[in-house]
Amino acid sequence: QVQLVESGGGLVQAGGSLRLSCAASGRTFSIYTMGSLRQAPGREREFVAAIRWGGGNTYYADSVKGRFTISRDNAKNAVYLQMNSLKPEDTAVYYCAVGRTTTYDYWGQGTQVTVSS
């Protein structure tokens, strides 16, 4: 089992920045990938970004490329999502997730991000 605790959401004006943090505990040695996904009201959950735990390769949705950066701190078993130039359409509940393969096995509780226009 892997437990995830998220923090860093909030309310920000368009053009502003937020940094989400996700701390993992438990069987962290089994982590292959950590990702961030989001779900806006009335919409399906969508992929935002991911990072491979070992090699550090990163992946982004087209909608956030150039604005969001995902990074990791292996010593702290943590992953961070730096979100810049935020837009109202980025408003959603953001979830941290980890997987032992390329699919996600464990999920955080979610954190609300609201971007006002």
Side-chain angles (χ1 to χ4, degrees):
Q1 291 280 351
V2 176
Q3 294 77 41
L4 301 171
V5 177
E6 304 176 62
S7 61
L11 173 64
V12 65
Q13 289 188 332
S17 299
L18 283 174
R19 187 187 192 220
L20 304 184
S21 300
C22 177
S25 61
R27 299 174 65 86
T28 56
F29 63 86
S30 65
I31 294 175
Y32 173 71
T33 186
M34 290 189 76
S36 178
L37 299 94
R38 67 187 181 187
Q39 187 166 18
R43 301 187 66 176
E44 293 191 357
R45 191 172 296 181
E46 65 175 0
F47 169 78
V48 176
I51 187 166
R52 295 291 183 253
W53 203 241
N57 291 357
T58 57
Y59 306 87
Y60 297 95
D62 288 343
S63 59
V64 307
K65 279 181 182 176
R67 300 189 298 122
F68 291 11
T69 302
I70 191 167
S71 61
R72 77 197 193 290
D73 184 332
N74 293 57
K76 295 182 178 180
N77 291 323
V79 66
Y80 308 99
L81 185 68
Q82 178 66 44
M83 305 185 293
N84 299 328
S85 302
L86 282 160
K87 304 175 181 179
E89 51 264 43
D90 294 318
T91 295
V93 176
Y94 283 70
Y95 296 90
C96 174
V98 302
R100 293 166 294 180
T101 64
T102 54
T103 57
Y104 297 109
D105 303 298
Y106 305 102
W107 296 79
Q109 79 278 12
T111 185
Q112 177 70 46
V113 171
T114 302
V115 184
S116 63
S117 58

